[in-house]
Amino acid sequence: MAKASRTREINNLYQFIYSLKNKCDSINDVNKDLILQYCRFTIMSNEVSKEIQDGLGVKKPEELATLIGLYKEFNKIAIALYKTLKFDSIKEELKADKNPYFELLEDARKNGSD
């Protein structure tokens, strides 16, 4: 993904999360850098995941193994930030909002509960 596109996606996710300020106590100015890091690692993890999917059957196994390792590291950091920021406390009512970024939060919650 191009840098400008990645930055736009990160900013969109950040704005969405910040719009939930009244639903989660940890979404505040004190944690804004942590929230931004969460957004960065979530978007980068999704990019690598797409690259892995697109590369199945096309890329060499060594290349895929490298991408999978990168994905695991990005996802591990994103999940740790998710737990630290207590995003799991966001109310279930958000499911009805149909915002595309809510799916990212849900995926992170599910991955973090293992």
Side-chain angles (χ1 to χ4, degrees):
M1 183 180 285
K3 186 175 180 177
S5 179
R6 178 185 302 130
T7 301
R8 186 172 33 261
E9 284 294 315
I10 291 168
N11 288 335
N12 288 342
L13 180 57
Y14 180 79
Q15 291 302 319
F16 170 69
I17 291 173
Y18 224 79
S19 74
L20 304 174
K21 194 174 187 176
N22 62 338
K23 300 189 186 304
C24 183
D25 293 338
S26 64
I27 301 174
N28 55 45
D29 290 338
V30 172
N31 290 330
K32 70 180 184 178
D33 289 335
L34 283 178
I35 295 168
L36 188 56
Q37 290 301 321
Y38 169 77
C39 295
R40 283 186 183 127
F41 282 102
T42 299
I43 296 300
M44 290 189 310
S45 176
N46 287 338
E47 286 177 13
V48 173
S49 174
K50 288 176 189 173
E51 193 173 343
I52 291 168
Q53 290 173 352
D54 293 344
L56 290 175
V58 178
K59 292 188 179 203
K60 294 179 182 178
E62 301 82 28
E63 292 177 72
L64 288 174
T66 300
L67 289 173
I68 290 169
L70 194 58
Y71 171 79
K72 285 181 179 178
E73 289 302 313
F74 287 164
N75 206 37
K76 182 179 174 182
I77 294 168
I79 290 170
L81 288 166
Y82 179 90
K83 288 178 179 180
T84 300
L85 292 165
K86 300 178 183 165
F87 285 160
D88 55 342
S89 67
I90 297 173
K91 297 187 181 354
E92 292 289 318
E93 66 197 40
L94 292 177
K95 287 183 181 178
D97 288 350
K98 304 287 187 205
N99 190 300
Y101 296 110
F102 184 69
E103 187 176 321
L104 293 174
L105 291 172
E106 278 294 298
D107 288 345
R109 183 190 63 77
K110 288 176 187 171
N111 289 335
S113 64
D114 293 343

